Amino acid sequence: MADAALRLRDLVGQLLGVPLPVRIRAWDGSEAGPPDAPALVVRNRRAVRRLLFNPGELGLARAWVAGDLDIDGDLYTALDLISGLVWERGEDARTLFQALRDPEVRSAVRGLLALAGPPLPPAPPPEEIRRARGHLHTRRSDKRAISHHYDVGNGFYEIVLGPSMVYSCAYWEAPEPGGTLELAQRDKLDLVCRKLDLRAGQRLLDVGCGWGSMAIHAAREYGVSVVGITLSQEQAAYARKRVADEGLTDRVEIRVQDYRDVSDGPYDAVSSIGMAEHVGAERYLEYAEVLLKLLKPGGRLLNHQIARRPQRDESAYDLDEFIDAYVFPDGELAPLGTTVTMLERAGFEVRDVEPIREHYAHTLRRWVANLEAQWQRAVRLAGPGRARVWRLYMAACALAFERNRIGVNQVLAVRTTESGASGLPLRSRTWN
């Protein structure tokens, strides 16, 4: 009799102490659980072994990326239901060890071991980054991390991001029904330019320039000269071609360069859009100080950055296992207050903070829809594992923004003159 799903449902529910909120569909064709809920498809016994050897987020991620687990039904609903059991329980190794003292829990673990088959840990999927020893956020480690994230083929990013090729939160007037992703991304780029008060003839440094969209927009629409820097060879090649196609090679230079190596200031303005998450806590003050020195007195910085919620004990902050292993190696999120403090310690005056959290949720849902609409092409370009990484990552992040677990903010800061002048209007929200 095929009963793997029923056994999984009962054993996992016994282990967690609460009923599973999703349906289970197992490799033997059996199903168990709420009939109207999305189904967690357990394709083979290897999925159970992954969860046993790495209980929690990393085990689930490995099983998902390898194709051992899947979702049948609405992905967002399933992730929302599962997140309450994994991401919000806050269980550490000590808590799990204490739970194993319970005879019922030990019994459930033995049952899962019997169901999982040979007690050997499956190898991680090849998409999981292999860690190099040494300090984080050196020039070498940052270049390696950026390459892992971005050098997966520009064609894949064309599918996900659409024609705008902007990989950061768009700025929506209204996401439905008429607002397009391309228009919302253009509005975001233009908002950044207006906050920086760009004028013809000025110099702009775009830190983490991606595929060149901000540099091109600023040069074409505002007449500025732009230096865009990235650590990704593939991004740089793509951006340079776009610049040439736009006829802007006299005003836009794209470099493969670390921000710590830029030495041709001063600039009138600096944009850093979705890049500071890569900097790391131990390097953030240095990052802010470097940007300050690159600005002329009165120059402005627009820092567009994802933020996490502060913890009571900040020393207990850990990197997200799935994102660190598969998406943003060594990426770190900081609370908004920490970012503002670091900018001020470096010498900036912070003049405006605009939270745009809901905008990122809308953006991510559009990216997921783009990926799903061209799924087979995405798989051909990047491989099934990489495509599955991005589908899970973006959908989970959309929910995180919607549920206020993380946010994103545009922070406008200025290097004031020696006399203290900021050069900003009294009512800066008008963005003249």
Side-chain angles (χ1 to χ4, degrees):
M1 176 176 143
D3 64 349
L6 181 62
R7 293 172 63 192
L8 277 172
R9 183 202 66 180
D10 292 345
L11 290 168
V12 173
Q14 185 179 355
L15 186 64
L16 296 174
V18 292
L20 275 177
V22 294
R23 194 163 76 256
I24 296 289
R25 182 179 303 153
W27 59 88
D28 60 357
S30 61
E31 292 194 28
D36 56 344
L40 182 65
V41 182
V42 186
R43 297 198 182 280
N44 49 53
R45 297 176 187 271
R46 186 171 59 245
V48 184
R49 293 202 296 277
R50 290 190 187 278
L51 292 171
L52 283 168
F53 281 99
N54 293 100
E57 182 176 345
L58 185 59
L60 281 169
R62 286 175 170 174
W64 172 272
V65 174
D68 301 329
L69 284 180
D70 207 344
I71 298 291
D72 185 9
D74 184 72
L75 177 62
Y76 296 100
T77 301
L79 290 177
D80 214 15
L81 292 169
I82 294 171
S83 68
L85 296 177
V86 180
W87 290 278
E88 295 175 6
R89 290 174 68 86
E91 291 182 332
D92 57 19
R94 181 177 55 186
T95 305
L96 291 170
F97 180 77
Q98 291 171 344
L100 287 173
R101 296 178 179 174
D102 187 326
E104 290 189 6
V105 173
R106 290 203 302 272
S107 174
V109 170
R110 285 195 296 270
L112 286 171
L113 285 168
L115 192 61
L120 296 174
E127 292 78 12
E128 185 169 317
I129 191 169
R130 301 300 186 262
R131 287 291 174 205
R133 294 183 178 180
H135 294 290
L136 297 180
H137 303 295
T138 63
R139 286 166 173 79
R140 182 177 180 181
S141 67
D142 280 353
K143 189 173 182 67
R144 181 171 180 264
I146 292 298
S147 178
H148 175 85
H149 185 71
Y150 292 107
D151 293 343
V152 298
N154 293 323
F156 177 77
Y157 281 102
E158 286 177 336
I159 291 173
V160 174
L161 305 179
S164 66
M165 287 301 284
V166 180
Y167 181 42
S168 57
C169 172
Y171 196 69
W172 299 89
E173 183 69 30
E176 298 294 346
T180 66
L181 176 61
E182 289 67 43
L183 178 60
Q185 290 290 14
R186 185 194 183 283
D187 286 349
K188 188 272 299 300
L189 297 177
D190 207 65
L191 177 68
V192 171
C193 291
R194 287 183 284 122
K195 287 182 176 182
L196 291 172
D197 194 27
L198 296 182
R199 309 289 176 88
Q202 290 183 331
R203 297 184 74 212
L204 168 68
L205 175 65
D206 186 29
V207 183
C209 66
W211 293 270
S213 298
M214 174 64 192
I216 290 169
H217 183 86
R220 184 182 60 214
E221 304 298 329
Y222 288 83
V224 298
S225 296
V226 187
V227 171
I229 61 172
T230 176
L231 294 179
S232 167
Q233 295 283 353
E234 289 196 22
Q235 281 187 337
Y238 191 97
R240 287 169 184 151
K241 183 178 185 306
R242 292 180 71 195
V243 168
D245 291 345
E246 291 277 348
L248 293 171
T249 53
D250 60 329
R251 275 186 277 164
V252 178
E253 178 187 0
I254 303 296
R255 304 174 184 167
V256 178
Q257 187 175 36
D258 192 285
Y259 70 91
R260 289 161 285 201
D261 297 328
V262 179
S263 59
D264 60 343
Y267 289 85
D268 297 279
V270 174
S271 55
S272 177
I273 307 173
M275 178 271 176
E277 298 87 343
H278 294 288
V279 172
E282 66 182 63
R283 296 285 187 180
Y284 202 93
L285 181 59
E286 177 189 12
Y287 156 80
E289 290 173 340
V290 167
L291 298 189
L292 182 82
K293 290 176 182 177
L294 288 169
L295 277 170
K296 72 174 188 179
R300 300 182 187 184
L301 164 70
L302 192 286
N303 187 70
H304 175 121
Q305 181 178 343
I306 298 172
R308 62 176 172 84
R309 301 295 163 228
Q311 300 181 179
R312 289 185 180 275
D313 178 9
E314 278 294 311
S315 65
Y317 169 66
D318 287 321
L319 303 180
D320 181 282
E321 287 186 303
F322 166 58
I323 292 177
D324 188 47
Y326 289 98
V327 188
F328 284 111
D330 306 336
E332 296 179 49
L333 300 185
L336 172 61
T338 301
T339 295
V340 169
T341 297
M342 288 296 177
L343 291 173
E344 289 181 330
R345 282 183 59 189
F348 280 103
E349 181 187 18
V350 172
R351 295 298 302 241
D352 187 81
V353 176
E354 183 176 4
I356 52 175
R357 171 175 61 84
E358 294 88 349
H359 294 257
Y360 219 155
H362 294 314
T363 305
L364 284 155
R365 282 183 177 262
R366 293 298 180 93
W367 289 343
V368 172
N370 286 347
L371 177 60
E372 292 177 339
Q374 298 190 62
W375 181 255
Q376 293 304 322
R377 180 167 176 257
V379 168
R380 288 196 301 272
L381 289 172
R386 184 74 66 184
R388 291 173 67 83
V389 165
W390 280 87
R391 184 170 178 245
L392 176 63
Y393 161 66
M394 293 189 299
C397 283
L399 289 172
F401 283 108
E402 289 168 358
R403 302 297 184 263
N404 195 23
R405 297 180 191 130
I406 53 177
V408 61
N409 307 279
Q410 288 193 350
V411 179
L412 180 66
V414 62
R415 177 179 180 177
T416 58
T417 65
E418 287 188 10
S419 66
S422 69
L424 274 84
L426 291 177
R427 294 186 177 186
S428 57
R429 284 286 189 179
T430 58
W431 307 129
N432 65 335

